[in-house]
Amino acid sequence: MAKKKQKKFPDPGGAWLVTFSDLVTLLLTFFVLLLSMASMDQSFITRVTITPAELGFLSKRGSGRVTAKVAMVSEMLERPWEVLEKQNRIKDLLFPDEILPPDMDKATLEENLKVLAKPEGVALVLTDKLLFPLGKYELDDNAKVLLYQLIPVLGYLGAADINISGYTDDVGGMSPSNFKLSGQRAIAVLTYFVEQGISNHRLTMSAYGPTYPMYSNTTPESRGQNRRVEILIKTTPHLGGYS
């Protein structure tokens, strides 16, 4: 009697190794792809992080290309309640040593410039020593150098109104000449801002003469501090700072 032939089936011993090898190869390819994508993303993020600080960036306010410094100062001025603790930082950013006129040192600037919090916003207070010859109302060259540093910030804060007020000391008392001089000085600063492109619709001026002194007028030094121009940037929205 003939032997019954047995059916031969493929040997399963090595087949699973082929399938497993293919799976490992696919997984390796997948992880290599993920690694290359992660490296590319990191490089892109690094470039984006560096570029604004070094080259400036487009302002969300639509005021054009501004530097990171301008944006930083502007954002500080939008928080008047923090100004007292950051006024030195604001001064350093606005008026670094390299932009100071040759005949003006940092100590003179510090003594004659203040950054004050007001209910409506932030006031930059400059004495006449930084802006005008004694008794005059024409801006000198040093004044234009300092005021020019404010133009990009005022441009960035395009929704904030600005009031420029002039003050004198009490020499001559409440005479019309003191009020006239304080008004002429405020107008000189306002005119300069308009010439540099700040919209005149944002600007107002006030002339207070010897009223509202910051210090007593008992010494030459205190009188010098009272002869000043205040640039009030109205950054407090609920008090009329923004329209």
Side-chain angles (χ1 to χ4, degrees):
M1 186 174 175
K3 290 185 178 180
K4 196 172 183 180
K5 291 184 178 181
Q6 294 182 349
K7 291 184 178 181
K8 291 186 178 180
F9 295 94
D11 180 15
W16 70 273
L17 289 175
V18 175
T19 304
F20 180 78
S21 176
D22 290 342
L23 178 61
V24 169
T25 302
L26 288 173
L27 286 174
L28 180 61
T29 303
F30 176 73
F31 284 117
V32 169
L33 180 61
L34 284 180
L35 179 62
S36 64
M37 291 177 65
S39 299
M40 180 182 66
D41 287 346
Q42 183 61 41
S43 174
F44 177 74
I45 292 170
T46 301
R47 287 198 302 273
V48 171
T49 302
I50 292 173
T51 299
E54 293 183 345
L55 302 178
F57 57 94
L58 291 179
S59 165
K60 64 181 179 179
R61 312 297 180 87
S63 58
R65 195 172 184 81
V66 298
T67 64
K69 180 184 76 172
V70 169
M72 188 181 302
V73 172
S74 302
E75 288 164 8
M76 290 181 187
L77 297 181
E78 289 182 313
R79 298 190 291 270
W81 54 90
E82 297 179 2
V83 160
L84 287 179
E85 61 188 50
K86 294 183 178 178
Q87 59 177 317
N88 290 332
R89 178 63 172 153
I90 293 172
K91 291 181 185 181
D92 290 339
L93 288 170
L94 282 175
F95 308 108
D97 292 339
E98 60 267 22
I99 70 96
L100 295 182
D103 57 344
M104 181 182 297
D105 57 30
K106 197 71 171 182
T108 299
L109 180 72
E110 289 289 334
E111 182 182 350
N112 293 279
L113 170 67
K114 293 178 176 60
V115 183
L116 303 179
K118 300 277 187 174
E120 305 96 324
V122 176
L124 304 176
V125 184
L126 299 90
T127 72
D128 66 347
K129 190 171 184 177
L130 298 178
L131 300 176
F132 307 100
L134 186 62
K136 306 295 184 181
Y137 60 87
E138 298 88 358
L139 291 170
D140 60 28
D141 292 338
N142 288 353
K144 293 176 181 179
V145 170
L146 297 179
L147 293 175
Y148 185 77
Q149 306 309 309
L150 305 180
I151 300 302
V153 173
L154 298 181
Y156 186 89
L157 295 170
D161 292 332
I162 305 157
N163 178 257
I164 303 165
S165 53
Y167 301 81
T168 65
D169 59 28
D170 69 344
V171 175
M174 295 291 179
S175 63
S177 61
N178 269 339
F179 286 92
K180 181 179 179 181
L181 178 61
S182 66
Q184 289 170 324
R185 288 181 165 182
I187 290 174
V189 175
L190 184 151
T191 301
Y192 179 78
F193 284 163
V194 172
E195 290 172 348
Q196 298 303 316
I198 304 301
S199 171
N200 62 322
H201 296 293
R202 298 174 57 198
L203 297 164
T204 58
M205 58 82 58
S206 305
Y208 292 110
T211 58
Y212 308 113
M214 291 186 68
Y215 301 93
S216 66
N217 283 290
T218 55
T219 66
E221 291 76 19
S222 61
R223 285 194 292 272
Q225 293 293 313
N226 288 331
R227 297 191 300 269
R228 67 196 190 276
V229 168
E230 295 189 6
I231 302 168
L232 175 60
I233 307 169
K234 298 182 179 181
T235 55
T236 307
H238 65 281
L239 290 177
Y242 290 106
S243 56

